[in-house]
Amino acid sequence: MSYYFSAKEQGCNRVIQGERTQVNFKKKQEMYKLFITLFSAFTLVLLRPAAAKEVSQDNVERAEYSLQIIKEYSVTSPDRAQDELYISSDLRKFLPRKKQIDWLIQSAVVANRLNDFSLSESTLTALYYSFMSELTAKERGLFFYFLGHVNLKRGDNDTAIKIYNCALKSYTKENFALRAMFSIANALIAKGDYELSEAVMRLLLAEVNRQKIDKWKAAPTNVLGIFALHRKNYGEAESYFRQAMDLHQKNRNKAGEYNASLNLLLVFALTSNFEMFERLKDRLARTGEQLLDQDRVAYFSVIKYLEKFNKNKGLNESDMAAMLSDIDSIKSMIVKTAVSSFIAPEINLNLVKEKTQITTLDWVKEIQEKESCTDDKLDFSFMSVEIE
């Protein structure tokens, strides 16, 4: 009996010991899990700064590379730079502030060349609200130049002139003020004030010649040809456009050369110089496809219909419809003005001008008021030559 109890007790002891062992094992297992969790957390805390630093450095390198691509292609291939800007827009924040400013200015260059108003708005508002106090005088001038361009392209000429005037004041005596002067003259043309515009353009060309800035001779020379066209002085216009073509060619400015060549082609169409027209037309067709400027490609097409009109003493119904379609597709107010001024009268085409009230964009108006860009009185007192 005692044996039985002894055995039973022994069994109970074994069960109890087994239970204790199992409990101890579970406790050890839980302690082990807790240890692993704590160790993992501790390891992550130690390693996270290094990992974060590695990721951050990678983003900086990617941002630097994107900026390099944007700068490289902003002028030579703006559509390629535009793609990079949209793909890499989140990377700009990883750059130092000075390089972020550089990024945004290059973005404004691209938006300007491609007439991408959405990109212009996002770029210029970012520059204004985040970096305006850090901009140099030249950078401020660039900012106002690009802001003025947005308004000029929309046909808001009065606002454009006021903002270009702010650009002029920002540049003070820097050579870059010439760009602002050129823009003011263009806005005056769009407004229909040819007399004042020509006076400003001749003043600009005189200053360019005085300072011997050869790269700036082409643009005002081309516009002086436009004034000759308005006077129907075709020989003078041809001379100016040929000079502008040669100057742009020397500067390797394909867009400028194309514009001057289009104007020269217009002279040949107006004067029925069919032989010279054909020679220049083939070259322009190849260049226009490369520049991706749809407004000027449409303008080129309209000039060809003018030449066809003069050669055949009229246009058939199909050609007239196609020409009107090209005219309707033109968005640029500058190009529209050229069509209505030089081509429409020659073919007895009555282009009904849209009487739309152009209102200044809200975000432009806010910047304009904050920066006091409300003065349209032109001041060229910083120049060494005087306006006549």
Side-chain angles (χ1 to χ4, degrees):
M1 197 71 168
S2 61
Y3 176 76
Y4 173 78
F5 283 110
S6 176
K8 190 174 181 180
E9 288 172 358
Q10 288 178 15
C12 287
N13 289 335
R14 285 174 189 155
V15 170
I16 292 168
Q17 287 175 2
E19 287 177 350
R20 286 175 179 167
T21 303
Q22 191 173 5
V23 169
N24 288 337
F25 175 76
K26 285 181 179 178
K27 284 184 177 178
K28 286 181 180 178
Q29 193 176 39
E30 289 173 1
M31 291 293 292
Y32 179 74
K33 285 181 179 178
L34 180 61
F35 173 76
I36 292 297
T37 303
L38 291 172
F39 179 78
S40 299
F42 181 69
T43 304
L44 282 174
V45 170
L46 286 177
L47 294 179
R48 187 174 293 162
K53 186 176 180 180
E54 186 176 336
V55 171
S56 178
Q57 184 59 35
D58 181 55
N59 285 331
V60 170
E61 290 175 1
R62 287 167 58 203
E64 291 275 8
Y65 176 74
S66 289
L67 178 58
Q68 182 182 342
I69 293 293
I70 294 163
K71 291 176 73 171
E72 182 178 350
Y73 292 107
S74 62
V75 175
T76 58
S77 182
D79 54 317
R80 169 72 178 85
Q82 182 190 45
D83 290 341
E84 188 65 31
L85 281 163
Y86 281 118
I87 292 169
S88 308
S89 59
D90 291 338
L91 292 175
R92 174 173 60 84
K93 62 188 176 186
F94 295 105
L95 292 170
R97 291 184 68 80
K98 200 64 184 170
K99 288 192 175 181
Q100 287 194 51
I101 291 172
D102 193 11
W103 176 297
L104 289 169
I105 286 175
Q106 293 301 321
S107 177
V109 171
V110 172
N112 178 23
R113 291 184 68 84
L114 297 179
N115 299 320
D116 186 339
F117 296 128
S118 175
L119 182 58
S120 287
E121 179 178 353
S122 61
T123 297
L124 295 175
T125 51
L127 261 175
Y128 185 75
Y129 291 108
S130 299
F131 301 97
M132 199 65 177
S133 62
E134 302 170 44
L135 300 185
T136 64
K138 182 176 179 179
E139 289 167 346
R140 280 180 62 85
L142 274 170
F143 169 82
F144 287 121
Y145 164 74
F146 290 125
L147 185 63
H149 184 75
V150 170
N151 293 279
L152 180 63
K153 295 296 286 185
R154 291 182 65 249
D156 191 355
N157 303 316
D158 289 329
T159 300
I161 291 171
K162 291 171 185 176
I163 293 174
Y164 286 140
N165 215 13
C166 265
L168 192 67
K169 293 172 184 176
S170 296
Y171 290 136
T172 60
K173 293 187 178 181
E174 294 186 46
N175 289 342
F176 218 85
L178 301 175
R179 182 189 292 271
M181 285 186 66
F182 182 75
S183 301
I184 288 170
N186 273 333
L188 288 167
I189 291 174
K191 193 177 176 181
D193 193 341
Y194 302 114
E195 186 177 348
L196 180 56
S197 178
E198 184 170 3
V200 173
M201 202 63 73
R202 290 190 180 280
L203 173 66
L204 169 59
L205 191 57
E207 182 68 11
V208 165
N209 287 327
R210 187 191 71 79
Q211 295 188 37
K212 298 180 180 178
I213 311 173
D214 291 341
K215 67 178 182 179
W216 259 102
K217 289 181 181 179
T221 300
N222 181 60
V223 179
L224 288 177
I226 298 293
F227 297 130
L229 273 183
H230 277 288
R231 294 190 292 269
K232 296 187 181 296
N233 191 334
Y234 298 125
E236 183 185 0
E238 180 180 344
S239 175
Y240 278 128
F241 294 143
R242 285 188 181 279
Q243 289 178 57
M245 277 176 57
D246 291 342
L247 289 165
H248 279 307
Q249 220 169 22
K250 289 177 183 177
N251 296 331
R252 298 182 180 179
N253 185 340
K254 288 186 177 180
E257 183 186 351
Y258 183 70
N259 288 340
S261 300
L262 269 180
N263 290 332
L264 182 59
L265 189 74
L266 176 60
V267 172
F268 293 149
L270 290 167
T271 56
S272 298
N273 191 338
F274 304 127
E275 183 181 351
M276 293 302 298
F277 186 95
E278 288 300 321
R279 289 184 187 178
L280 185 56
K281 181 185 74 173
D282 293 336
R283 192 174 73 182
L284 277 169
R286 292 190 297 271
T287 309
E289 292 172 0
Q290 299 169 3
L291 293 174
L292 301 174
D293 188 332
Q294 296 306 315
D295 279 349
R296 280 171 175 77
V297 169
Y299 185 42
F300 176 38
S301 178
V302 174
I303 293 173
K304 287 189 289 185
Y305 283 118
L306 171 62
E307 187 260 355
K308 194 172 186 179
F309 176 90
N310 287 339
K311 184 183 284 187
N312 300 329
K313 307 301 179 186
L315 290 175
N316 60 40
E317 189 175 335
S318 175
D319 286 339
M320 181 63 76
M323 184 185 69
L324 288 173
S325 177
D326 284 331
I327 292 172
D328 287 340
S329 72
I330 296 171
K331 301 292 188 295
S332 167
M333 294 301 295
I334 295 172
V335 180
K336 278 184 179 290
T337 300
V339 172
S340 60
S341 298
F342 306 124
I343 297 177
E346 294 295 318
I347 57 179
N348 301 316
L349 184 63
N350 184 21
L351 293 177
V352 179
K353 293 184 179 180
E354 299 176 3
K355 294 182 179 180
T356 54
Q357 184 67 32
I358 299 173
T359 56
T360 306
L361 296 168
D362 289 339
W363 65 274
V364 173
K365 190 184 296 182
E366 184 177 345
I367 294 173
Q368 186 185 2
E369 290 172 355
K370 284 186 177 181
E371 295 298 318
S372 301
C373 294
T374 54
D375 185 9
D376 57 2
K377 184 180 179 181
L378 304 180
D379 181 9
F380 304 124
S381 58
F382 68 94
M383 304 193 62
S384 59
V385 290
E386 295 182 358
I387 191 166
E388 296 178 359

